[in-house]
Amino acid sequence: DDQCIRGGWIHGEGRIYENLPEYSVLMREHLRFRRAAAEVVRRANLGQSAGEEANIRSGSEFDLASTAIVLAIMDMQKHQAE
C-alpha cells in the first residue's frame, strides 16, 4: 500500500491529515486506484491492449479512481487551511 508514490505520500507526510475525516476517504480511494491499476497490469500481462481492453482512458475506473485521490488530497488540504 505504500510502495507507489501516492501510497508513500499517504503513509508518509500525508499522515499529518490522518485526524481528518477526508483521510479515510483518501485511503479508500487509494485502495480503489490500486485495484484498478492491478486490473490494468493483469490485462496487459494477458496481452490485451491497455488502452482499449483495460479501460485506462477518460471515464474508466482507473481514471475515476485516480481523480478521486487527487480530489481527496485537495479536500484535506482545504480543510486543514480552514
Side-chain angles (χ1 to χ4, degrees):
D1 190 35
D2 62 352
Q3 299 303 304
C4 68
I5 291 172
R6 290 176 178 154
W9 184 86
I10 291 168
H11 295 285
E13 45 178 291
R15 290 187 70 102
I16 64 169
Y17 301 109
E18 69 184 345
N19 61 324
L20 300 177
E22 294 89 351
Y23 188 79
S24 63
V25 173
L26 176 61
M27 296 291 287
R28 185 179 65 243
E29 295 301 342
H30 183 249
L31 177 59
R32 177 181 170 202
F33 173 79
R34 289 183 55 224
R35 288 179 177 154
E39 181 63 13
V40 169
V41 171
R42 185 188 73 77
R43 290 184 182 200
N45 286 340
L46 293 173
Q48 297 176 358
S49 168
E52 305 234 3
E53 300 297 326
N55 295 322
I56 62 171
R57 59 187 171 268
S58 180
S60 68
E61 178 64 12
F62 181 88
D63 176 56
L64 295 173
S66 180
T67 300
I69 290 173
V70 172
L71 293 174
I73 292 170
M74 290 171 64
D75 285 345
M76 288 187 320
Q77 290 173 333
K78 184 174 107 177
H79 189 264
Q80 188 75 8
E82 293 175 348

